[in-house]
């Protein structure tokens, strides 16, 4: 490496960077285990990022070598993350990076977490949607499961295939790479900021179905596809409901990525399905954003505050 060049450490544990600092080279620490925030939140949590010390005692750095550790950098590799997902992928983990980069007098994650809750409200006021701080179970807004027959963005070896059994366990994506938008249940979690991303669907072949645990009568149904910027919509398709045993009824057609209908026959709904009526190009990605059911003015859509969006585990929330 040329004399005077700055070494960027992209290895997983930081050893390459610390060894470079010991030889008198300037170093920026950007380790994969802690500071790759294109990784999903299950692998790199807020605490994982906060835990990173760019020049720990365990590295055996002399005072001279420590001076060669210039700072830290987080990597968010864009090919793994849709543009509309960048803010929630970066925040709140960038807050942990900033705190450790500026330096702290003592390690206190609980205190840091209190301040994060202030900052996410400030960010919300600026129009920034922050993501979770920890991995969390994705729970349908009302008891239901997904029959996902859309083409997967991940190899089948990296995910469990959904079936017709309530015992199925959804993993959705390789926990190493990527982000959490590939989980099918994001399309029925009551949150408009999450979505299920897939390749463009084929005509009459690729469908996406929500199967309710208990049949219920509803007044209104709506299916929203696409990201907030208008990309990744279902170009042409139909929204259907079933009263059971394959009795599918078309209730609406998609226009500009949205389909909605009043349900006036009073029949219980067993399942809701969207189906493409054209061969959408595989590279014309589809985001199933949310399927919404309403009854007597009550909606499956939820109001989620910025702090709730952190998805703090109960043990962490109690101790904060």
């Amino acid at each position: 490496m040329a004399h005077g060049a700055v070494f960027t450490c992209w290895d997983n544990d930081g050893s390459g960077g610390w060894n470079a600092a010991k030889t008198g080279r300037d170093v920026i620490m950007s380790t994969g285990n802690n500071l790759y925030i294109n990784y999903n939140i299950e692998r790199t949590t807020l605490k994982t990022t906060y835990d990173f010390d760019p020049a720990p005692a365990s590295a055996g750095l002399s005072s001279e070598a420590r001076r060669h550790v210039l700072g830290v950098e987080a990597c968010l590799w864009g090919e793994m993350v849709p543009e509309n997902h960048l803010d929630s992928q970066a925040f709140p983990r960038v807050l942990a990076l900033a705190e450790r980069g500026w330096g702290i007098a003592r390690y206190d994650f609980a205190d840091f977490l209190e301040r994060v809750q202030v900052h996410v409200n400030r960010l919300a006021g600026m129009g920034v949607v922050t993501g979770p701080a920890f991995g969390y179970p994705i729970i349908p807004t009302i008891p239901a499961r997904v029959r996902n027959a859309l083409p997967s963005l991940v190899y089948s070896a990296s995910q469990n295939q959904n079936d017709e059994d309530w015992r199925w366990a959804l993993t959705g994506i390789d926990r190493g790479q990527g982000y959490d938008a590939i989980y099918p249940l994001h399309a029925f979690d009551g949150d408009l900021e999450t979505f299920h991303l897939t390749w463009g669907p084929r005509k009459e072949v690729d469908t996406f179905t929500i199967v309710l645990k208990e049949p219920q009568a509803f007044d209104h149904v709506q299916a929203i596809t696409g990201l907030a910027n208008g990309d990744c919509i279902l170009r042409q398709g139909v929204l259907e409901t079933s009263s059971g045993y394959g009795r599918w009824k078309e209730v609406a057609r998609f226009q500009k990525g949205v389909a909605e209908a009043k349900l006036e026959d009073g029949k219980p709904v067993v399942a809701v399905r969207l189906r493409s009526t054209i061969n959408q190009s595989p590279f014309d990605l589809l985001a199933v954003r949310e399927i919404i059911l309403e009854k007597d003015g009550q909606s499956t859509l939820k109001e989620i505050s910025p702090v709730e969006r952190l998805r703090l585990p109960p043990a962490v929330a109690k101790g904060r």
Side-chain angles (χ1 to χ4, degrees):
M1 192 167 70
H3 179 73
V6 176
F7 183 93
T8 300
C9 176
W10 287 346
D11 66 14
N12 281 335
D13 62 3
S15 58
W18 296 320
N19 288 336
K22 291 174 183 177
T23 65
R25 298 184 183 278
D26 289 338
V27 177
I28 301 293
M29 300 300 296
S30 185
T31 58
N33 285 342
N34 301 81
L35 302 180
Y36 271 39
I37 58 176
N38 55 281
Y39 288 158
N40 66 46
I41 197 65
E42 291 180 336
R43 171 168 174 170
T44 306
T45 69
L46 181 67
K47 188 174 186 299
T48 305
T49 302
Y50 186 82
D51 282 350
F52 180 68
D53 186 340
S58 60
L61 299 174
S62 65
S63 57
E64 173 63 24
R66 286 178 65 89
R67 283 196 289 270
H68 287 289
V69 179
L70 302 183
V72 293
E73 173 194 54
C75 290
L76 205 172
W77 301 100
E79 66 269 27
M80 299 301 300
V81 182
E83 182 179 346
N84 276 69
H85 206 63
L86 292 174
D87 282 352
S88 58
Q89 193 76 14
F91 293 98
R93 288 180 287 188
V94 165
L95 302 178
L97 171 77
E99 176 130 337
R100 295 312 299 260
W102 282 107
I104 56 176
R106 63 185 178 88
Y107 179 94
D108 192 339
F109 181 71
D111 179 70
F112 169 70
L113 201 56
E114 289 284 351
R115 287 178 282 115
V116 165
Q117 294 173 73
V118 175
H119 281 297
V120 293
N121 284 316
R122 289 174 176 167
L123 288 164
M126 299 165 61
V128 176
V129 177
T130 53
F134 299 90
Y136 65 98
I138 304 168
I139 301 172
T141 183
I142 59 176
R145 60 178 168 81
V146 172
R147 176 60 177 167
N148 177 30
L150 293 172
S152 175
L153 277 177
V154 294
Y155 295 110
S156 58
S158 300
Q159 67 175 151
N160 293 337
Q161 296 296 321
N162 298 339
D163 58 23
E164 296 293 341
D165 196 316
W166 274 94
R167 295 169 295 178
W168 116 99
L170 178 67
T171 56
I173 185 171
D174 179 351
R175 291 170 185 264
Q177 291 287 340
Y179 55 99
D180 62 4
I182 299 179
Y183 290 103
L185 273 174
H186 272 318
F188 196 59
D189 62 358
D191 187 353
L192 277 179
E193 298 298 340
T194 60
F195 51 88
H196 171 52
L197 193 65
T198 177
W199 299 114
R202 295 166 294 171
K203 178 180 180 180
E204 310 297 348
V205 173
D206 299 322
T207 59
F208 188 86
T209 309
I210 300 297
V211 183
L212 302 182
K213 186 175 183 179
E214 300 290 342
Q216 298 183 49
F218 293 94
D219 304 326
H220 188 267
V221 60
Q222 183 181 36
I224 302 174
T225 68
L227 305 177
N229 65 358
D231 291 343
C232 304
I233 66 171
L234 182 63
R235 302 296 174 184
Q236 290 184 38
V238 295
L239 180 63
E240 301 170 315
T241 60
S242 172
S243 57
Y245 301 100
R247 294 193 293 268
W248 290 104
K249 176 184 177 182
E250 179 183 324
V251 295
R253 289 189 168 262
F254 280 85
Q255 297 182 10
K256 297 182 179 180
V258 178
E260 61 181 319
K262 291 183 178 180
L263 304 177
E264 298 176 336
D265 57 12
K267 292 182 179 179
V269 173
V270 172
V272 180
R273 179 172 75 179
L274 59 85
R275 176 168 54 86
S276 180
T277 54
I278 61 169
N279 287 319
Q280 192 161 316
S281 168
F283 298 106
D284 186 5
L285 300 183
L286 170 64
V288 186
R289 196 169 179 189
E290 192 69 18
I291 293 175
I292 305 167
L293 295 166
E294 296 180 8
K295 180 180 180 181
D296 299 329
Q298 300 295 312
S299 172
T300 56
L301 199 63
K302 300 175 182 177
E303 291 285 342
I304 303 175
S305 72
V307 172
E308 290 172 330
R309 203 169 289 285
L310 289 172
R311 310 291 184 178
L312 301 179
V316 174
K318 288 179 182 178
R320 69 177 189 261

